[in-house]
Amino acid sequence: MKAAILKGVHQPIMIEEVPTPEIKEDEVLIEIKSAALNHRDLWIQKGQYAGLKFPIILGSDGAGVIHQVDRQVKNITIGQSVVINPSWYWGSNPKVQSKEYRILGLPDNGTFAQYIKVPAIFVYPKPEHLSFSEAAAYPLAGLTAYRATITRAEVQAGEKVLITGIGGGVAFFAMQFALVRGAEVYVTSSSSEKIEKVMSYGVKAGFNYKSPSWEKEALGYTGGFDAIIDGAAGETFTKLIEVCRPGGRIVFYGGTAGIINNVLPAKVFWKQLTIMGSTMGNDTEFESMLEMIKQYKLIPMISHQFTFDNIQAAFEVMDKGEQFGKIVVNF
Ligand SMILES: NC(=O)c1ccc[n+]([C@@H]2O[C@H](COP(=O)([O-])OP(=O)(O)OC[C@H]3O[C@@H](n4cnc5c(N)ncnc54)[C@H](OP(=O)(O)O)[C@@H]3O)[C@@H](O)[C@H]2O)c1
C-alpha cells in the first residue's frame, strides 16, 4: 500500500510503498478515503512532541470503508463506512486517561496511508449526512472540543461563552457544540474575516486578541463570560481571567501562545473562578459527540483539501497557519 512516512525530525513526508498491515484478533482493516491534519502532526514533524519514534505513519483523523474484519468482531461488516476514534485506551476513570492511553498516529501508525488496522472498539459508523472528507475532519479536534465544552465547562443554554482563536480546528467545533447547547457564543480571533464568517453560524460578536484592549471591549459589550474555552494560554490568559464572570470557569486544552505568566492569584480566588485543563476525551464522549453531530446535522468547516500524493503541501499550509477550518487529504 501507499503510505506517508516521516523518517525523522524536520524531514519531509515521503510517499512510499509499504506492506499492508495484517489484522490480529479483534481488529479491522480500513481502506482510508479521507484523513485530516492536526497541529499534533506538525509538532511531531518538528520534533516538539513527547515519545517520538521513527519511521512513523502520522495521522489521527480518518474515515473510510471496512476492508477486512477479524472473525471475533461483531457488528462491523465489510463495505461499511466508518470513522475512527483516535483516543485509544482511555481506561475506566472518566476524569483522567489511564497509563495505557495513547493517540492514534504515534506511537501506532496513523491514518496517512491507504490502509490502517484498528482495534474494532475504536471504529464507529460514519454519520450518514457527512462525506468521507467531512467525517475525517471531526475525530481529534471534535473530541477535544466536546470534552472541553460539554463535559468540562458544562456549557448551558443561555450562558455567555467565549471561544478563543476561532481559526483553530478545536475552537470551531467548540463553537458548534456550544451553539447547539443554546449558549450565547462569542469568539476571539486575529482576523476580522474569520469573526465575520462565524457570525453567519450564530456567533454574537468577536474581539481581536491582537488589539491591546480587547478585554475591555469584550467586558463592555457582554458584561463578562460564564465559560471560556481556550487553546492558546500564553500572555492572553490573564485577559481571560479579566473577562470571566465571578463564579465562571475557564477550560484550556492547548498552549499555542506558550507559558501562562503574571496571573494575579487574587483575581482567581476572589472571583471564585474554576480553571480546568482538558485533553481529548473518552469512548463515551466520542460516541456522544457523534450523536450530537448526527442530531443537529453538523458539518465541519474544511479549509483546504489535497490529494494524498500532495500531503506535504498540506503540512506546509498548517505550518504557515493559512487555514481556517480543517485541512483534509483525500485518496
Ligand atoms: N489537548 C488536546 O487534546 C489537544 C487537541 C487538539 C489540539 N490541541 C492544541 O490546541 C491548540 C490549537 O490546536 P488546533 O489544531 O485546534 O488549532 P490550529 O489549527 O493549530 O490553530 C491555531 C489557532 O490558534 C489561534 N491563536 C493563535 N495565537 C492565539 C492567541 N494568542 N490567542 C488566541 N488564539 C490564538 C489562531 O486563531 P485565529 O486564526 O482566529 O487568530 C489560530 O488559528 C494547539 O496548541 C494544539 O496543540 C490540544
Side-chain angles (χ1 to χ4, degrees):
M1 68 168 184
K2 270 189 187 177
I5 313 276
L6 178 67
K7 292 189 176 161
V9 173
H10 293 304
Q11 296 301 305
I13 309 285
M14 305 295 287
I15 308 281
E16 289 185 5
E17 216 31 68
V18 298
T20 302
E22 283 177 23
I23 57 168
K24 300 199 195 95
E25 214 171 283
D26 295 320
E27 289 182 333
V28 299
L29 188 69
I30 299 170
E31 182 190 352
I32 294 287
K33 296 285 187 191
S34 296
L37 270 71
N38 288 286
H39 222 114
R40 177 181 198 264
D41 303 307
L42 192 65
W43 295 137
I44 294 169
Q45 192 186 31
K46 291 183 172 179
Q48 295 165 6
Y49 206 89
L52 294 176
K53 157 199 147 190
F54 302 105
I56 180 83
I57 301 172
L58 296 176
S60 308
D61 288 337
V65 172
I66 298 290
H67 189 77
Q68 201 187 350
V69 182
D70 175 65
R71 57 194 163 79
Q72 314 268 19
V73 175
K74 306 283 177 268
N75 306 326
I76 297 181
T77 50
I78 290 172
Q80 196 180 347
S81 298
V82 295
V83 58
I84 305 163
N85 175 5
S87 195
W88 286 16
Y89 306 109
W90 181 280
S92 56
N93 184 357
K95 287 192 173 166
V96 68
Q97 63 274 33
S98 69
K99 282 208 175 77
E100 289 71 43
Y101 180 73
R102 50 195 204 250
I103 298 170
L104 176 60
L106 182 84
D108 305 272
N109 278 331
T111 56
F112 299 159
Q114 259 178 318
Y115 294 94
I116 183 172
K117 65 171 187 159
V118 174
I121 47 170
F122 302 124
V123 174
Y124 293 79
K126 176 177 78 61
E128 279 178 12
H129 73 284
L130 297 179
S131 66
F132 285 109
S133 329
E134 289 166 344
Y138 269 107
L140 189 149
L143 180 61
T144 306
Y146 187 90
R147 182 172 171 87
T149 311
I150 306 297
T151 310
R152 303 286 274 149
E154 296 183 85
V155 162
Q156 305 294 322
E159 284 192 317
K160 288 195 169 99
V161 177
L162 180 71
I163 317 272
T164 68
I166 198 60
V170 179
F172 182 83
F173 294 137
M175 176 206 80
Q176 280 193 321
F177 301 152
L179 282 170
V180 300
R181 264 291 158 96
E184 206 175 285
V185 179
Y186 298 83
V187 301
T188 69
S189 179
S190 59
S191 145
S192 46
E193 288 82 35
K194 290 181 185 177
I195 292 174
E196 217 161 280
K197 173 95 196 199
V198 293
M199 285 176 74
S200 69
Y201 283 80
V203 164
K204 292 273 180 221
F207 310 96
N208 190 326
Y209 61 77
K210 298 260 178 184
S211 138
S213 55
W214 72 264
E215 76 282 13
K216 293 194 177 67
E217 195 191 334
L219 265 179
Y221 194 82
T222 64
F225 303 99
D226 302 292
I228 300 175
I229 314 294
D230 177 53
E235 292 283 310
T236 31
F237 202 80
T238 50
K239 300 200 171 186
L240 302 185
I241 291 168
E242 293 290 331
V243 299
C244 196
R245 270 185 178 170
R249 55 255 189 235
I250 304 175
V251 178
F252 73 105
Y253 57 84
T256 302
I259 287 171
I260 300 170
N261 262 327
N262 302 324
V263 171
L264 208 59
K267 293 266 185 190
V268 180
F269 68 71
W270 194 252
K271 286 175 86 174
Q272 309 274 1
L273 299 185
T274 305
I275 299 179
M276 289 173 264
S278 186
T279 211
M280 299 291 286
N282 57 41
D283 300 3
T284 311
E285 286 163 328
F286 191 81
E287 214 171 318
S288 304
M289 173 191 73
L290 289 181
E291 279 311 312
M292 190 179 258
I293 291 168
K294 285 191 274 187
Q295 186 184 348
Y296 295 96
K297 298 260 187 303
L298 298 179
I299 291 172
M301 174 133 67
I302 295 181
S303 172
H304 290 69
Q305 300 208 49
F306 293 91
T307 59
F308 180 61
D309 289 332
N310 211 6
I311 191 168
Q312 179 60 32
F315 274 74
E316 284 158 19
V317 167
M318 174 155 277
D319 197 18
K320 291 189 191 127
E322 287 169 351
Q323 76 279 9
F324 180 25
K326 295 296 291 183
I327 302 169
V328 173
V329 175
N330 299 305
F331 286 81

